[in-house]
Amino acid sequence: MTDQTEFRRYLVAIDSISTHQLFTDCLVIGAGIAGLRAAIEAAEHCNVIVVCKGSLQDSNTWLAQGGIASVLDETDSFESHIVDTLNTGCGISDKEIVDLVVRQGPRLIEQLLRWGTDFDLTDGHIATTLEGGHSHARVAHAHGDETGRIITEVLIKKARQNPNIKIVENFCGVDLLSNDDNKCIGIIGQDKRGPQIIWATNTILATGGAGQLYRETTNPEIATGDGIAIAYRAGAVLQDLEFMQFHPTTLYVAGASRALVTETLRGEGAILRDSRGRAFMKDYHESAELAPRDIVSRAILAQMLKTKSTNVYLDVRHFKREHFAKRFPTISELCESFGIDVSQNLIPVRPSAHYMIGGVKTDAKAATSIKNLYACGEIAATGLHGANRLGSNSLLEGLVFGKIAGQSASQHIKKPGDSGIKHQRIKHQPTYSNRTLLNTSDVRNSLRALMWRNVGITRKAQLLTEAQEIIGFWQRYVMDKTFDQPQDWECQNMLTVALLMTQAAQMRKESRGVHHRSDFTNINDKNFKKHIEITSGK
Ligand code: SIN
C-alpha cells in the first residue's frame, strides 16, 4: 500500500452474529483444475465446500487449449522435462518443486484418463505435441484444443458425484477471516442471498489468475487477482509478483476481446509473419517460432514497431483444412466467426497478459505462511515456474498441487464433520472517509490501460514510478470506501494487486524471464537470483 492509504484488514463491515453462516471441514475457493482436484482429494477424509465467483465454466482452466505437459512416452524422460522447466525458469525455479511436479505428472494424468478424460490418443496411447521450450513432444490434449474444458467437465462430474462435496457458484469471496492466533478460519463473502460467512477448519485458495489487470488478456472476466489481494490483507507472504507471463499469440481483431490462439499451432508448424508477409522469428532466436514465450512476445512487439503495424500474423495456410478443423476446433470456430478462412487468410495476432507466475508463497505441502491456509494453481507461487513458465506446465501444476493441497488440508481429519469448527465472534467496522467517490468502472478501465502501457511486456523505472503514483492516487479514493457489490470489491482488489506488482517490478532491477526492463537489460545473478517477497505484515 502507499503511505497515503490506510491499510484495511477487511473491506467490509462484519458482525459474525448477525451474518448467515455455514460450517465445513475444508473450504476450497475456486473451481479450476487445482480447486476441483483439491476438493476431490480432501473429500476422501472430510466435508468440503467449493465456492467460485462465477459459474463453473468461468476459469482459466476451462479456456486452456494447448494442453497439459508431462512425460508420457518412453522416449522422453523426467530429467529432460526437469531440465526444460529449469532452463525456462531462468535460474530461480525451485528444483525440489520442479522434481516433485514433473515426477507426479504421469500418474495423475493416467488417473484423469481413468476418470473419463477423453484425451486424444495415437495407437491407444495419449497423443502428445510440442510447445516452445520443450525438447520433447510432451503436451497432452483433449478434443484437439479443448483440453481445459474436457478436463474440467470430468472433475466437475467427479466432484458432483461425491456426497462430501457441496459446490456453491456465484459466491464472491471478500476476505479471509482470521482469529487472534492469526489462524485462517474461513471466509466472508456474498452470494445471491446476501453476506455469508463460511467457517472452515482449513481453507484452500485456488482463485486463479489476474490477467484482467491488463487491457489485453486471454483471461476470463473473473480473473481479477482477488485471491492475491485477499491473502495480502490477511497477512500472507506473496512472491514473484513482477512475473506476469504474456502469451505471444492472441487473436487481434480491433474492437473484439482477445482470445487465445494456442501455442501448439506453432508447435505443429504455424509460422509467424509480419505485415509484409516476412517470417521474422529466426531474426530473434535460433528456435524461431518455438523460442520461449517471453522471447516470442518481445520479438512480435519489436517487429510490430519495425513495420509500424498493430499486429503480426500466424500462417497456417499449409495445414490440411480437414485436419486443422479437427485438431483445432476452437481456433477454427473463432476464426470463422470473424470471417477468417484459415486456408486462405493469415490470422492476425499480438501478445496479451496470460498467466500470473507470482502469487501466494507456498511450500511443497501447498501450505502458505498463514496457519490453516493452503494455496494451489495459478494463485500459488510454488517456485515451479521461476521467472518464466514453460507452456502447459500450469495445468500440470494445478493437478499435482491440487491433490497435495487437498491432502494437506484434510489428512488430520478422521471423518467428515469431525474437524470441530465452531462459530467465532468477529466484529469489524471499517472507518469511512468522505473523500469523493470515483466511478469504479472508469478506474478499472483506466487501470487496465495503465498496466498495459507502464507495467507490460517491457518496463522501466520512470514508467513504473508513474504507475505507482497513479495507482496510489486511485487507491486514496477507492480503498477508503465500503462497497457491497462484487465489481467494486474487484476494483479494490485490482488496485491492490496492481500496486504490489508494480512495486515488485520496480524492485527487480534486472531482466529475467518474463520480467524485461529496458533500463536493466541484463540478468543480474549477484543481486537478483532470488525471489522478491511482499507481505502486509498484518
Ligand atoms: C496455449 O495453448 O498456448 C496455452 C497453454 C499454456 O498457457 O500453458
Side-chain angles (χ1 to χ4, degrees), residues 63-67 131 245 247 249 260-266 293 354-355 389-395:
L63 297 179
Q65 294 177 0
E131 277 185 13
Q245 184 175 60
H247 196 289
T249 57
L260 182 64
V261 180
T262 179
E263 180 162 339
T264 53
L265 268 180
R266 279 177 283 130
R293 280 184 188 175
H354 181 54
Y355 185 88
R389 180 179 63 93
L390 192 59
S392 293
N393 262 2
S394 47
L395 287 188

Side-chain angles (χ1 to χ4, degrees), residues 463-517:
L463 291 180
L464 293 170
T465 304
E466 184 182 281
Q468 282 173 281
E469 285 168 5
I470 298 172
I471 299 166
F473 174 82
W474 286 326
Q475 282 202 346
R476 290 193 71 209
Y477 292 88
V478 177
M479 301 306 291
D480 62 337
K481 308 290 184 310
T482 304
F483 297 103
D484 58 8
Q485 290 303 315
Q487 63 274 21
D488 297 321
W489 296 322
E490 281 178 350
C491 181
Q492 292 181 309
N493 289 337
M494 288 167 78
L495 285 170
T496 302
V497 177
L499 189 57
L500 298 175
M501 286 170 69
T502 309
Q503 286 168 345
Q506 187 75 280
M507 281 185 234
R508 188 172 285 282
K509 295 187 188 339
E510 65 158 356
S511 290
R512 186 185 295 266
V514 300
H515 172 71
H516 188 260
R517 297 251 327 219

Side-chain angles (χ1 to χ4, degrees), residues 239-487:
Q239 178 180 288
D240 297 335
L241 294 181
E242 65 278 32
F243 297 123
M244 166 60 80
Q245 184 175 60
F246 293 83
H247 196 289
T249 57
T250 48
L251 186 70
Y252 179 70
V253 176
S257 61
R258 304 289 164 255
L260 182 64
V261 180
T262 179
E263 180 162 339
T264 53
L265 268 180
R266 279 177 283 130
E268 295 183 24
I271 299 162
L272 277 164
R273 297 191 184 279
D274 65 19
S275 56
R276 297 168 191 153
R278 195 169 153 270
F280 58 88
M281 270 313 300
K282 275 269 188 252
D283 302 348
Y284 295 91
H285 196 274
E286 58 187 11
S287 302
E289 273 71 11
L290 287 180
R293 280 184 188 175
D294 59 311
I295 292 169
V296 183
S297 290
R298 285 200 299 278
I300 290 174
L301 284 196
Q303 203 64 16
M304 280 162 50
L305 207 64
K306 244 189 217 172
T307 55
K308 298 191 176 52
S309 314
T310 53
N311 59 283
V312 295
Y313 295 90
L314 266 174
D315 186 356
V316 297
R317 291 172 299 180
H318 50 294
F319 283 52
K320 288 213 172 69
R321 192 192 275 261
E322 296 71 36
H323 166 74
F324 188 88
K326 189 151 182 265
R327 175 68 184 90
F328 300 105
T330 309
I331 310 291
S332 296
E333 215 177 280
L334 180 70
C335 289
E336 256 171 56
S337 72
F338 288 105
I340 301 164
D341 174 353
V342 296
S343 64
Q344 311 273 331
N345 311 130
L346 299 173
I347 307 172
V349 290
R350 59 187 265 168
S352 286
H354 181 54
Y355 185 88
M356 185 59 183
I357 290 174
V360 182
K361 182 180 177 181
T362 53
D363 65 14
K365 301 264 185 237
T368 70
S369 60
I370 296 183
K371 276 184 249 156
N372 297 24
L373 179 68
Y374 300 84
C376 54
E378 190 169 346
I379 191 189
T382 61
L384 172 72
H385 309 303
N388 195 3
R389 180 179 63 93
L390 192 59
S392 293
N393 262 2
S394 47
L395 287 188
L396 177 68
E397 184 192 40
L399 187 66
V400 171
F401 267 102
K403 179 177 161 67
I404 292 173
Q407 256 166 359
S408 298
S410 66
Q411 63 198 2
H412 304 300
I413 302 171
K414 291 192 194 71
K415 62 177 196 309
D418 233 24
S419 68
I421 186 79
K422 293 190 188 72
H423 169 270
Q424 313 197 20
R425 184 78 203 269
I426 295 190
K427 205 163 169 357
H428 170 80
Q429 186 62 56
T431 47
Y432 294 88
S433 114
N434 51 12
R435 273 186 217 119
T436 309
L437 177 62
L438 298 184
N439 180 311
T440 52
S441 107
D442 286 350
V443 170
R444 186 185 181 115
N445 288 336
S446 307
L447 175 68
R448 298 180 68 206
L450 177 74
M451 290 298 282
W452 182 252
R453 261 193 334 266
N454 290 38
V455 198
I457 295 173
T458 292
R459 293 107 185 246
K460 65 176 177 182
Q462 178 230 330
L463 291 180
L464 293 170
T465 304
E466 184 182 281
Q468 282 173 281
E469 285 168 5
I470 298 172
I471 299 166
F473 174 82
W474 286 326
Q475 282 202 346
R476 290 193 71 209
Y477 292 88
V478 177
M479 301 306 291
D480 62 337
K481 308 290 184 310
T482 304
F483 297 103
D484 58 8
Q485 290 303 315
Q487 63 274 21

Side-chain angles (χ1 to χ4, degrees), residues 59-287:
S59 69
N60 268 331
T61 303
W62 186 273
L63 297 179
Q65 294 177 0
I68 180 161
S70 198
V71 175
L72 295 168
D73 80 65
E74 65 247 19
T75 61
D76 194 5
S77 69
F78 288 140
E79 288 68 30
S80 164
H81 191 181
I82 289 167
V83 166
D84 290 346
T85 303
L86 291 173
N87 285 345
T88 305
C90 300
I92 58 165
S93 294
D94 181 326
K95 289 197 182 106
E96 182 205 346
I97 298 291
V98 174
D99 203 79
L100 180 155
V101 171
V102 165
R103 287 179 196 277
Q104 292 206 11
R107 205 167 43 86
L108 293 183
I109 290 176
E110 290 295 335
Q111 184 182 53
L112 277 183
L113 188 67
R114 281 199 307 282
W115 287 353
T117 307
D118 196 12
F119 283 114
D120 298 326
L121 305 177
T122 316
D123 301 331
H125 297 285
I126 294 177
T128 51
T129 190
L130 205 54
E131 277 185 13
H134 287 279
S135 55
H136 197 93
R138 61 169 75 95
V139 178
H141 42 89
H143 291 206
D145 57 11
E146 297 184 292
T147 315
R149 176 175 74 79
I150 300 298
I151 293 177
T152 317
E153 283 175 349
V154 167
L155 293 175
I156 292 171
K157 188 163 170 219
K158 184 111 185 124
R160 284 206 193 284
Q161 283 166 347
N162 191 320
N164 290 341
I165 300 178
K166 177 182 164 78
I167 298 177
V168 184
E169 294 176 87
N170 302 307
F171 179 99
C172 180
V174 180
D175 267 308
L176 293 169
L177 300 172
S178 30
N179 67 8
D180 294 341
D181 297 336
N182 209 19
K183 244 191 217 169
C184 178
I185 48 174
I187 195 169
I188 174 136
Q190 180 168 292
D191 69 6
K192 59 179 184 303
R193 293 168 300 174
Q196 311 279 329
I197 286 178
I198 305 178
W199 301 106
T201 302
N202 287 306
T203 300
I204 300 175
L205 275 176
T207 49
Q212 284 293 329
L213 265 83
Y214 288 84
R215 192 188 71 204
E216 318 263 332
T217 182
T218 59
N219 289 195
E221 285 193 1
I222 50 122
T224 48
D226 303 331
I228 299 176
I230 287 172
Y232 176 72
R233 287 193 291 276
V237 175
L238 309 177
Q239 178 180 288
D240 297 335
L241 294 181
E242 65 278 32
F243 297 123
M244 166 60 80
Q245 184 175 60
F246 293 83
H247 196 289
T249 57
T250 48
L251 186 70
Y252 179 70
V253 176
S257 61
R258 304 289 164 255
L260 182 64
V261 180
T262 179
E263 180 162 339
T264 53
L265 268 180
R266 279 177 283 130
E268 295 183 24
I271 299 162
L272 277 164
R273 297 191 184 279
D274 65 19
S275 56
R276 297 168 191 153
R278 195 169 153 270
F280 58 88
M281 270 313 300
K282 275 269 188 252
D283 302 348
Y284 295 91
H285 196 274
E286 58 187 11
S287 302

